[in-house]
Amino acid sequence: MTAVANLSSGALEATAKPLAAACYDNNLVNSQGMFLGDQPLRFSLPLLLVQVSVILVLSAAAHVVLRRLGQSRFVTHMLVGIFLGPSVLGRNASFRDLLFSERGTYILESVSLVALILFLFSMGVKTDLSLLRRPSGRAVAVGITGAVVPLAITLPVFHALQPSLPEDLRGSSLVTELAVRLSLSSFPVVADALSDLDLLNTDLGRIALTASLITDVTSWFLRACSAAVFLVSEAMSPAFTARILASFVAFVLFVGFVARPAGRYIAYKRTPTGALLSEGSFVVVVIAALLSALVTDAIGFKYMIGPMMLGLALPGGMPIGATMTERLDSFFIALFLPVYMALSGYRTDFSKAEEASERWCALELFVVLCVSGKLVGCVAAGLFFAMPFRDAAVLALMLNIRGIVEVAAINSWGDSMKATAEHYSTLTLAMVLITAVSTPLIKLLYDPSGQFARAKRRSLEHARMSADLRVLTCLYSEDHAAPLIDLLEASGSSRDSPVSLIVLHLTELVGRAASVLKPHRKSTSSGGNPTSSDRIVNAFRYLEQQAAPGAVTSSDGARSTANNAIRSINRSVLQYAPCSVAILVDHGLASGSACATAANSLLQRAALYFLGGADDREALAYAARMPETGTMSLTVVRFKLRNWVGMGGRDEARDEELLQEFWSRHRDNERVVYVEKTVEDAEGTASVVRAMSEKFDLLIVGRRGGEGEGDPEGSTALTSGLSEWSEFPELGVLGDMLASAEFASKVSILVIQQQPPKKTIATGSSVND
């Protein structure tokens, strides 16, 4: 039998984690089953499984409701814990003894602490310390001011009111440590919250990430120093002091000069480029993270310091960060980290709130001062750098978001008996309320698409024929380079009508807490073998060199995106782009195509299907460049509806005007053909498209925003009903039909959308497979 009891009866009410006397048989692990007379919930394994299942099921159900109110998962997990705790369901002694007795929570808490350790390590690995190399002045000012102002307000008020405070706060360091913790922003918490809000890649999101990283790295350093000072002050002899300092210095040196080089060796020497860590290497890294927590805890420092320091020392991204995300975050951390937060909420007890109202109010006063001071400091710094007041307020709310790191600190205060049960409940509720208010306000006040709004029209239709064609080419893999180069060669570039090209290689965001936009630099960490980005850039450099002088200029970059859902990215670009957008669906040349020649470019014959509307006019403006140079031939097919008189609208007049300009310019060009097709309805349109498409190797169509959206009534009738079985609505009606299996092996499709004239708009033009 194993007995667990409190060391003193007086500590039962005073501590955040009271331990009642509990005696149990440590052999009660696996049940023989209820049919043999056992009670399964008296055994550790069945009880653990039931506890985890209850917490996860309730959390999932609650989040379905709370996420519609703009709440984060942190708030959901904490509220589920409070619901299960002594404030609600836990008031029932039978329920508490059955599922969450002191004996039953030991194993659950231990496993959840392991998840917390691995979470901190994983976030350390994913943290991009390059943000600290050249931080913007705004980020530094917001981070520092947002940390100094709350301390400057809270600490003087605490010392002024100290004689009148309740006794448990008067002689305690709790308020000082609380002020320090709330004056800082936690990078893991802010990054996770902004990721949930889809704000990581916004201007304010990046400022908030950099500011929180600055204060977080500073706080970890100060935390280690304060722990060292405390241990030294408690030392019984100079030799004891020397051992403490030597132990910590030895750990830091080990991380910097042993663990970091070993991590780089595993990442860049033992692991092939683009691959995840091997099973053996992964196990070594996880064991190192756990041992780092053990070492710092054993030498008297907090167990959280070790994993974070080790994680920051190891290289992020591929392959270590990606492996942590793939094998650790998606299962173990996702499974047991919610349990840790729910347990933290479970320990709150508001049943005696009236009896301890004076202590609650006193502590909440300092929480309010800290939060208000941070809001004022961040807003003031933002206004100093000429930020709009709303943006400065949103940035302040971002940096005030609280989460698991703050809860872990409160748990630590409870473990060290700095916080009583009342303090613990008060602070836990405060963290939940701060986040529960901040996240919906951020959603309400901040529209990230506003930063991309442009008053200037960026469309080919409204540009001069000799104007510089600026193209942002987005690729997801090196296989996309060849068809895009063919398309650019066919785009009619010359010294008088040049193409300025920016190449953007989008790769899946793995192993990083935030996406990265950076110029391409030749890889030096892959043993001399070129990376996918290297090969893509080389291909476009060759295009620039082969073109006429001044006809093509290119630059390049690398960018990580939030996921590999290419269609989702395309839809976002189409919705927010501050310029015209083109999507290339590359199906290559059919083996029997009439266009298969020995010429250098595979694109020889292009057709434009013109139905009318802004997108079709933009497609015509682009296609008009093609026959200007090279050997590209162009056929423009104008569709008309039989017996259609027309409404005389502005769009129809503009269609006719642009077609007349095009034909008058290219009438004498033997490589340009203009054809008009009169059809009865949408079925006739589809028949003409099917009959003509196999004659060409590139079809150009306007996206036309979906059926009838922003198009003349006549052109809408030409496609009415064709979108009922749409598979790829982001390609528009004709684009979707051409991309279907019927056309998949015959022709490539270029779908063009003109910059919306009166929309809020966001990222650049996208060309992809």
Coordinates of all heavy atoms in Angstrom, one line a residue, residues 323-379:
T323 N 10.0 17.6 -38.0 CA 9.7 16.3 -37.4 C 8.9 16.5 -36.1 O 8.1 15.6 -35.8 CB 11.1 15.6 -37.1 OG1 11.8 15.5 -38.3 CG2 10.8 14.2 -36.6
M324 N 9.3 17.5 -35.3 CA 8.5 17.8 -34.1 C 7.0 18.0 -34.4 O 6.1 17.5 -33.7 CB 9.1 19.0 -33.4 CG 10.5 18.8 -32.8 SD 10.7 17.5 -31.6 CE 11.5 16.3 -32.5
T325 N 6.8 18.7 -35.4 CA 5.4 19.0 -35.8 C 4.7 17.8 -36.3 O 3.5 17.5 -35.9 CB 5.3 20.1 -37.0 OG1 6.0 21.3 -36.5 CG2 3.9 20.4 -37.4
E326 N 5.4 17.0 -37.1 CA 4.8 15.8 -37.7 C 4.5 14.7 -36.7 O 3.4 14.1 -36.7 CB 5.7 15.3 -38.9 CG 5.1 14.1 -39.6 CD 4.0 14.5 -40.6 OE1 3.9 15.7 -40.9 OE2 3.3 13.6 -41.0
R327 N 5.5 14.4 -35.8 CA 5.4 13.2 -35.0 C 5.0 13.5 -33.5 O 4.6 12.6 -32.8 CB 6.8 12.5 -35.0 CG 7.2 12.0 -36.4 CD 8.5 11.3 -36.3 NE 8.9 10.9 -37.7 CZ 10.1 10.4 -37.9 NH1 11.0 10.3 -37.0 NH2 10.5 10.1 -39.2
L328 N 5.2 14.8 -33.1 CA 5.0 15.1 -31.7 C 3.8 16.0 -31.5 O 2.9 15.6 -30.8 CB 6.3 15.7 -31.1 CG 6.5 15.6 -29.6 CD1 6.6 14.2 -29.2 CD2 7.7 16.4 -29.2
D329 N 3.8 17.1 -32.2 CA 2.7 18.1 -32.0 C 1.3 17.5 -32.4 O 0.3 17.8 -31.7 CB 3.0 19.4 -32.8 CG 4.2 20.1 -32.3 OD1 4.9 19.6 -31.5 OD2 4.4 21.2 -32.8
S330 N 1.3 16.8 -33.5 CA 0.0 16.3 -34.0 C -0.6 15.2 -33.1 O -1.8 14.9 -33.3 CB 0.2 15.8 -35.4 OG 1.1 14.8 -35.5
F331 N 0.1 14.6 -32.3 CA -0.5 13.5 -31.4 C -0.3 13.8 -30.0 O -1.2 14.1 -29.3 CB 0.1 12.2 -31.8 CG -0.4 11.0 -31.0 CD1 -1.7 10.6 -31.1 CD2 0.5 10.4 -30.1 CE1 -2.2 9.6 -30.2 CE2 0.0 9.4 -29.2 CZ -1.3 9.0 -29.3
F332 N 0.9 13.6 -29.5 CA 1.1 13.6 -28.0 C 0.8 14.9 -27.4 O 0.0 15.0 -26.4 CB 2.6 13.2 -27.7 CG 2.8 13.0 -26.2 CD1 2.5 11.9 -25.6 CD2 3.4 14.0 -25.5 CE1 2.7 11.7 -24.2 CE2 3.6 13.9 -24.1 CZ 3.3 12.7 -23.5
I333 N 1.3 16.0 -28.0 CA 1.1 17.3 -27.4 C -0.4 17.7 -27.6 O -1.0 18.3 -26.7 CB 2.0 18.4 -28.1 CG1 3.5 18.1 -27.6 CG2 1.6 19.8 -27.7 CD1 4.5 19.0 -28.2
A334 N -0.9 17.4 -28.8 CA -2.3 17.8 -29.1 C -3.3 17.0 -28.1 O -4.4 17.4 -27.8 CB -2.7 17.5 -30.5
L335 N -2.8 15.8 -27.7 CA -3.7 15.0 -26.8 C -3.6 15.4 -25.4 O -4.6 15.5 -24.7 CB -3.2 13.5 -27.0 CG -4.1 12.4 -26.4 CD1 -5.5 12.4 -27.1 CD2 -3.5 11.1 -26.5
F336 N -2.4 15.6 -24.9 CA -2.2 15.8 -23.4 C -2.0 17.3 -23.0 O -2.2 17.6 -21.8 CB -1.0 15.0 -22.9 CG -1.3 13.5 -22.9 CD1 -0.8 12.7 -23.9 CD2 -2.2 13.0 -21.9 CE1 -1.1 11.3 -23.9 CE2 -2.5 11.6 -21.9 CZ -1.9 10.8 -22.9
L337 N -1.7 18.2 -23.9 CA -1.6 19.6 -23.5 C -3.0 20.1 -23.1 O -3.1 20.9 -22.1 CB -1.0 20.4 -24.6 CG -0.4 21.7 -24.2 CD1 0.8 21.5 -23.2 CD2 0.2 22.5 -25.4
P338 N -4.1 19.8 -23.8 CA -5.4 20.2 -23.3 C -5.7 19.7 -21.9 O -6.4 20.3 -21.2 CB -6.4 19.6 -24.4 CG -5.5 19.5 -25.6 CD -4.2 19.2 -25.1
V339 N -5.2 18.5 -21.6 CA -5.4 17.9 -20.3 C -4.7 18.8 -19.2 O -5.3 19.0 -18.2 CB -4.9 16.5 -20.3 CG1 -4.9 15.9 -18.8 CG2 -5.7 15.6 -21.2
Y340 N -3.5 19.3 -19.5 CA -2.8 20.2 -18.6 C -3.7 21.4 -18.3 O -3.8 21.8 -17.2 CB -1.5 20.5 -19.2 CG -0.7 21.4 -18.3 CD1 0.1 21.0 -17.2 CD2 -0.7 22.8 -18.5 CE1 0.8 21.8 -16.4 CE2 0.0 23.7 -17.6 CZ 0.8 23.2 -16.6 OH 1.5 24.0 -15.8
M341 N -4.2 22.0 -19.4 CA -5.0 23.2 -19.2 C -6.3 23.0 -18.5 O -6.7 23.7 -17.6 CB -5.2 23.9 -20.5 CG -4.0 24.5 -21.2 SD -4.3 25.4 -22.7 CE -4.3 24.0 -23.9
A342 N -6.9 21.8 -18.8 CA -8.1 21.5 -18.1 C -7.9 21.2 -16.6 O -8.7 21.6 -15.8 CB -8.8 20.3 -18.8
L343 N -6.8 20.5 -16.3 CA -6.5 20.3 -14.9 C -6.2 21.6 -14.2 O -6.6 21.8 -13.0 CB -5.2 19.4 -14.8 CG -5.4 17.9 -14.9 CD1 -4.1 17.2 -14.8 CD2 -6.4 17.4 -13.9
S344 N -5.6 22.6 -14.9 CA -5.4 23.9 -14.3 C -6.7 24.6 -14.0 O -6.9 25.2 -12.9 CB -4.5 24.8 -15.2 OG -3.3 24.2 -15.4
G345 N -7.7 24.5 -14.9 CA -9.0 25.0 -14.6 C -9.7 24.2 -13.6 O -10.5 24.8 -12.8
Y346 N -9.5 22.9 -13.5 CA -10.2 22.1 -12.5 C -9.8 22.5 -11.1 O -10.6 22.4 -10.2 CB -9.7 20.6 -12.7 CG -10.3 19.6 -11.7 CD1 -11.6 19.1 -11.8 CD2 -9.5 19.2 -10.6 CE1 -12.0 18.2 -10.9 CE2 -10.0 18.4 -9.7 CZ -11.2 17.9 -9.8 OH -11.7 17.0 -8.9
R347 N -8.6 23.0 -10.9 CA -8.2 23.3 -9.5 C -8.8 24.6 -9.0 O -8.6 25.0 -7.8 CB -6.7 23.4 -9.4 CG -6.0 22.1 -9.8 CD -4.5 22.2 -9.5 NE -3.8 21.0 -10.0 CZ -3.2 21.0 -11.2 NH1 -3.1 22.1 -11.9 NH2 -2.6 19.9 -11.6
T348 N -9.4 25.4 -9.9 CA -10.0 26.7 -9.4 C -11.3 26.3 -8.6 O -12.0 25.4 -8.9 CB -10.4 27.5 -10.6 OG1 -11.3 26.8 -11.4 CG2 -9.2 27.9 -11.4
D349 N -11.5 27.1 -7.6 CA -12.6 26.9 -6.7 C -13.2 28.2 -6.3 O -12.6 29.0 -5.6 CB -12.1 26.1 -5.4 CG -13.3 25.7 -4.5 OD1 -14.4 26.0 -4.8 OD2 -13.0 25.1 -3.4
F350 N -14.4 28.5 -6.8 CA -15.1 29.8 -6.5 C -16.2 29.6 -5.5 O -17.0 30.5 -5.3 CB -15.7 30.3 -7.8 CG -14.7 30.5 -8.9 CD1 -14.8 29.7 -10.1 CD2 -13.6 31.3 -8.8 CE1 -13.9 29.8 -11.1 CE2 -12.7 31.4 -9.9 CZ -12.8 30.7 -11.0
S351 N -16.2 28.4 -4.8 CA -17.3 28.2 -3.9 C -17.2 29.1 -2.6 O -18.1 29.3 -1.9 CB -17.3 26.7 -3.5 OG -16.0 26.3 -2.9
K352 N -15.9 29.6 -2.4 CA -15.7 30.4 -1.2 C -15.4 31.8 -1.6 O -14.7 32.5 -0.8 CB -14.6 29.8 -0.3 CG -15.0 28.4 0.2 CD -13.8 27.8 1.1 CE -14.2 26.4 1.5 NZ -13.1 25.8 2.4
A353 N -15.8 32.2 -2.7 CA -15.5 33.6 -3.2 C -15.9 34.7 -2.3 O -15.2 35.7 -2.1 CB -16.0 33.8 -4.6
E354 N -17.1 34.5 -1.7 CA -17.7 35.6 -0.8 C -16.9 35.7 0.4 O -16.6 36.8 0.9 CB -19.1 35.3 -0.5 CG -20.1 35.3 -1.7 CD -21.5 35.1 -1.3 OE1 -21.8 34.9 -0.1 OE2 -22.4 35.0 -2.2
E355 N -16.4 34.6 1.0 CA -15.6 34.7 2.2 C -14.3 35.3 2.0 O -13.7 35.9 2.9 CB -15.4 33.2 2.7 CG -16.7 32.5 3.0 CD -16.4 31.1 3.4 OE1 -15.3 30.7 3.6 OE2 -17.4 30.3 3.5
A356 N -13.7 35.2 0.8 CA -12.4 35.7 0.5 C -12.4 36.9 -0.5 O -11.5 37.2 -1.2 CB -11.5 34.6 -0.1
S357 N -13.5 37.7 -0.4 CA -13.7 38.7 -1.4 C -12.7 39.8 -1.3 O -12.3 40.4 -2.3 CB -15.1 39.3 -1.2 OG -15.3 39.8 0.1
E358 N -12.2 40.1 -0.1 CA -11.2 41.2 0.1 C -9.9 40.8 -0.6 O -9.3 41.6 -1.3 CB -11.0 41.4 1.6 CG -9.9 42.5 1.9 CD -9.7 42.7 3.3 OE1 -10.3 42.0 4.1 OE2 -8.8 43.5 3.7
R359 N -9.5 39.5 -0.4 CA -8.2 39.1 -1.0 C -8.4 39.0 -2.6 O -7.5 39.3 -3.3 CB -7.9 37.7 -0.5 CG -7.2 37.8 0.9 CD -7.0 36.4 1.5 NE -8.2 35.7 1.9 CZ -8.3 34.5 2.5 NH1 -7.2 33.9 2.7 NH2 -9.5 34.0 2.8
W360 N -9.6 38.6 -3.0 CA -9.8 38.5 -4.5 C -9.7 39.9 -5.1 O -9.0 40.1 -6.1 CB -11.2 37.9 -4.7 CG -11.3 36.5 -4.6 CD1 -11.0 35.7 -3.5 CD2 -11.7 35.6 -5.6 NE1 -11.2 34.4 -3.8 CE2 -11.6 34.2 -5.1 CE3 -12.1 35.7 -6.9 CZ2 -12.0 33.1 -5.8 CZ3 -12.5 34.6 -7.7 CH2 -12.4 33.3 -7.1
C361 N -10.3 40.9 -4.5 CA -10.4 42.2 -5.0 C -9.0 42.8 -5.0 O -8.6 43.5 -6.0 CB -11.3 43.1 -4.2 SG -13.1 42.7 -4.4
A362 N -8.2 42.6 -3.9 CA -6.9 43.1 -3.9 C -6.0 42.6 -5.0 O -5.2 43.3 -5.6 CB -6.3 42.8 -2.5
L363 N -6.0 41.3 -5.2 CA -5.2 40.7 -6.2 C -5.7 41.1 -7.6 O -4.8 41.4 -8.5 CB -5.2 39.2 -6.1 CG -4.1 38.4 -6.8 CD1 -2.8 38.9 -6.4 CD2 -4.3 36.9 -6.6
E364 N -7.0 41.2 -7.8 CA -7.5 41.6 -9.1 C -7.1 43.1 -9.5 O -6.9 43.4 -10.6 CB -9.0 41.4 -9.2 CG -9.5 40.0 -9.3 CD -9.1 39.4 -10.6 OE1 -8.6 40.0 -11.5 OE2 -9.4 38.2 -10.8
L365 N -7.0 43.9 -8.4 CA -6.5 45.2 -8.6 C -5.2 45.3 -9.3 O -5.0 46.1 -10.3 CB -6.4 46.0 -7.3 CG -5.8 47.4 -7.3 CD1 -6.6 48.3 -8.2 CD2 -5.6 47.9 -5.9
F366 N -4.3 44.5 -8.9 CA -2.9 44.5 -9.5 C -2.9 43.8 -10.9 O -2.2 44.2 -11.8 CB -1.9 43.7 -8.6 CG -1.7 44.4 -7.3 CD1 -2.2 43.8 -6.1 CD2 -1.1 45.6 -7.2 CE1 -2.1 44.5 -4.9 CE2 -0.9 46.3 -6.0 CZ -1.4 45.7 -4.8
V367 N -3.8 42.9 -11.1 CA -4.0 42.3 -12.5 C -4.5 43.4 -13.4 O -3.9 43.6 -14.5 CB -4.9 41.1 -12.5 CG1 -5.2 40.7 -13.9 CG2 -4.4 40.0 -11.7
V368 N -5.5 44.2 -13.0 CA -6.0 45.3 -13.8 C -4.9 46.3 -14.1 O -4.8 46.8 -15.2 CB -7.2 45.9 -13.1 CG1 -7.7 47.2 -13.9 CG2 -8.4 44.9 -13.1
L369 N -4.1 46.7 -13.1 CA -3.1 47.6 -13.3 C -2.1 47.2 -14.3 O -1.6 47.9 -15.2 CB -2.4 47.9 -11.9 CG -3.2 48.8 -10.9 CD1 -2.4 48.9 -9.6 CD2 -3.5 50.2 -11.5
C370 N -1.7 45.9 -14.2 CA -0.7 45.3 -15.1 C -1.2 45.3 -16.6 O -0.6 45.8 -17.5 CB -0.3 43.9 -14.8 SG 0.7 43.8 -13.3
V371 N -2.5 44.9 -16.7 CA -3.1 44.8 -18.1 C -3.2 46.2 -18.6 O -2.9 46.5 -19.8 CB -4.4 44.1 -18.0 CG1 -5.1 44.1 -19.4 CG2 -4.2 42.6 -17.6
S372 N -3.8 47.1 -17.8 CA -4.0 48.5 -18.3 C -2.7 49.2 -18.6 O -2.6 49.9 -19.7 CB -4.7 49.3 -17.2 OG -6.0 48.7 -16.9
G373 N -1.7 49.0 -17.8 CA -0.4 49.6 -18.1 C 0.2 49.0 -19.3 O 0.8 49.8 -20.1
K374 N 0.1 47.8 -19.6 CA 0.6 47.2 -20.9 C -0.1 47.8 -22.1 O 0.5 48.1 -23.1 CB 0.6 45.7 -20.8 CG 1.3 45.0 -22.0 CD 1.5 43.6 -21.7 CE 2.4 42.9 -22.8 NZ 3.8 43.4 -22.7
L375 N -1.4 47.9 -22.0 CA -2.2 48.5 -23.0 C -1.8 49.9 -23.3 O -1.5 50.3 -24.5 CB -3.7 48.5 -22.7 CG -4.4 47.1 -22.7 CD1 -5.8 47.2 -22.2 CD2 -4.5 46.6 -24.1
V376 N -1.6 50.7 -22.3 CA -1.2 52.1 -22.4 C 0.2 52.2 -23.0 O 0.5 53.0 -24.0 CB -1.2 52.8 -21.1 CG1 -0.6 54.2 -21.2 CG2 -2.7 53.0 -20.6
G377 N 1.1 51.3 -22.5 CA 2.5 51.4 -23.0 C 2.6 51.0 -24.5 O 3.3 51.7 -25.3
C378 N 1.9 49.9 -24.9 CA 1.9 49.5 -26.3 C 1.3 50.5 -27.2 O 1.8 50.8 -28.3 CB 1.3 48.1 -26.4 SG 2.1 46.8 -25.6
V379 N 0.1 51.1 -26.8 CA -0.5 52.1 -27.6 C 0.3 53.3 -27.8 O 0.4 53.9 -28.9 CB -1.9 52.4 -27.0 CG1 -2.5 53.6 -27.7 CG2 -2.9 51.2 -27.1

